[in-house]
Amino acid sequence: MNFKITSILVLSILITSCKGEQTAKKETNQTPEFTNKGEELVSKMLEKVGDYKTLRSKEDVVYTYTYQTPDGKTDISTEKYIFDGELSYGKYEQHQRTLSDLQGTIEQGYDGKEFWLKHNGEILNDSIALKRVAFNRPTNFYWFTMFQKLMDKGVSYEYLGEKTLNEIPYEIVKVSFNFGDSKPTDIYQLYINKNTSLVNQFLFTVADFGAMDTPNLMTLEYEDVDGMLFPTKRKYKKSTWEAAVSDAPWITVDWSNIKFNNGLSENDFKS
């Protein structure tokens, strides 16, 4: 009798254990649910470049930002961000297109609550200049984290099909945003390389300047930094929605000297 009871108990434990293992395996093997193919392609792209969780684990970043227009006017700034809270700082040693009327060094900041501006170490309260800061700080932060933030809540995806450009096969995904406010938001059209899962180029609008009808085309070159891929060399100009550009010269944007985990604190972003 004792043998039978013991055998039944052992058998029961084994069955329960097997069921638990099967459930665990089933949960492990579950694939993420996507609203459509567009969202799935964006998710696969993030597997390649690195997602926002990976980026946030690096705490902060310092890098050199260089922006040059076709007429040679150049901005060069040292950018600093803390990813948690999206704190942003830029020190411009050269600013031929950003607040070019100010001679000498300018500093811009967002401390999590307010935007601020310094000129040669002195606080400026000019409302027009501060509007420029309120555009630059979140815009520069967003461009750096753009791919990772494409999986934020409020982002919508529309798969537009396939297209071959310059013998490269692309899958095209339209990205739009709905964050609950009434003002228009930008539209992105990603050209995702079918062979690499990377975005080689994308179309974008600039809603803050009312440029919604005619997009820009941005092309990208990537660099591996600390295990993630960043589009450190970028250039753009006006385009059609079919990604046809004119012979006009490009605006170029370069990120260099990218360094993570610098031990920045909130005090580094206060005026």
Side-chain angles (χ1 to χ4, degrees):
M1 177 66 78
N2 289 340
F3 174 79
K4 289 182 179 179
I5 293 173
T6 303
S7 299
I8 291 170
L9 286 172
V10 171
L11 183 60
S12 176
I13 292 169
L14 286 173
I15 291 171
T16 303
S17 177
C18 288
K19 284 183 177 179
E21 288 179 6
Q22 288 173 357
T23 302
K25 286 180 180 178
K26 186 177 180 181
E27 290 177 354
T28 302
N29 294 331
Q30 282 181 342
T31 56
E33 294 184 4
F34 301 107
T35 56
N36 56 41
K37 186 174 181 178
E39 183 180 12
E40 183 178 5
L41 288 168
V42 171
S43 179
K44 286 182 178 179
M45 178 268 292
L46 281 174
E47 290 177 6
K48 195 70 176 287
V49 302
D51 60 18
Y52 203 64
K53 181 180 179 181
T54 303
L55 184 62
R56 285 190 63 162
S57 71
K58 300 180 186 302
E59 302 291 344
D60 61 52
V61 67
V62 177
Y63 70 100
T64 301
Y65 176 97
T66 304
Y67 184 110
Q68 186 173 65
T69 52
D71 58 4
K73 291 182 179 178
T74 305
D75 283 353
I76 301 175
S77 68
T78 299
E79 298 282 317
K80 299 180 181 181
Y81 312 141
I82 289 180
F83 300 121
D84 186 9
E86 302 189 1
L87 278 62
S88 174
Y89 168 89
K91 183 177 183 180
Y92 292 73
E93 299 291 355
Q94 184 170 325
H95 47 99
Q96 296 174 337
R97 50 172 301 282
T98 298
L99 302 176
S100 58
D101 56 316
L102 301 176
Q103 301 300 313
T105 301
I106 61 172
E107 297 170 81
Q108 302 178 352
Y110 173 64
D111 61 11
K113 296 180 179 179
E114 296 180 330
F115 297 97
W116 55 266
L117 173 66
K118 283 184 178 180
H119 176 222
N120 292 327
E122 299 293 327
I123 284 287
L124 290 185
N125 292 311
D126 180 89
S127 61
I128 295 176
L130 284 171
K131 284 182 180 178
R132 185 61 184 267
V133 175
F135 174 78
N136 284 346
R137 288 302 92 215
T139 297
N140 285 13
F141 181 93
Y142 183 83
W143 281 125
F144 192 85
T145 61
M146 172 187 159
F147 289 145
Q148 287 73 31
K149 291 177 74 65
L150 287 180
M151 295 303 290
D152 283 356
K153 292 181 179 179
V155 180
S156 299
Y157 317 88
E158 181 182 353
Y159 179 65
L160 300 182
E162 300 183 14
K163 187 172 185 177
T164 298
L165 295 173
N166 300 321
E167 300 183 352
I168 298 175
Y170 292 106
E171 294 193 280
I172 306 172
V173 179
K174 178 182 177 181
V175 177
S176 55
F177 307 87
N178 181 13
F179 298 131
D181 45 26
S182 58
K183 68 177 184 178
T185 56
D186 293 324
I187 294 172
Y188 296 90
Q189 195 164 293
L190 311 177
Y191 284 72
I192 301 176
N193 189 317
K194 290 186 68 175
N195 298 323
T196 65
S197 294
L198 295 176
V199 176
N200 284 21
Q201 62 182 34
F202 64 91
L203 299 171
F204 69 97
T205 60
V206 187
D208 283 342
F209 289 93
M212 296 297 292
D213 295 328
T214 304
N216 291 283
L217 177 74
M218 175 89 76
T219 67
L220 311 171
E221 293 181 29
Y222 291 83
E223 180 182 347
D224 188 317
V225 183
D226 199 15
M228 296 182 69
L229 292 177
F230 291 92
T232 55
K233 292 190 179 298
R234 311 153 71 94
K235 59 182 182 179
Y236 72 92
K237 61 180 171 179
K238 294 294 182 183
S239 171
T240 69
W241 284 107
E242 296 301 318
V245 294
S246 69
D247 293 330
W250 297 86
I251 295 169
T252 62
V253 184
D254 291 335
W255 304 336
S256 57
N257 305 314
I258 299 173
K259 295 179 181 178
F260 295 106
N261 292 304
N262 301 278
L264 300 179
S265 72
E266 291 184 4
N267 287 332
D268 294 307
F269 297 84
K270 296 185 182 297
S271 59

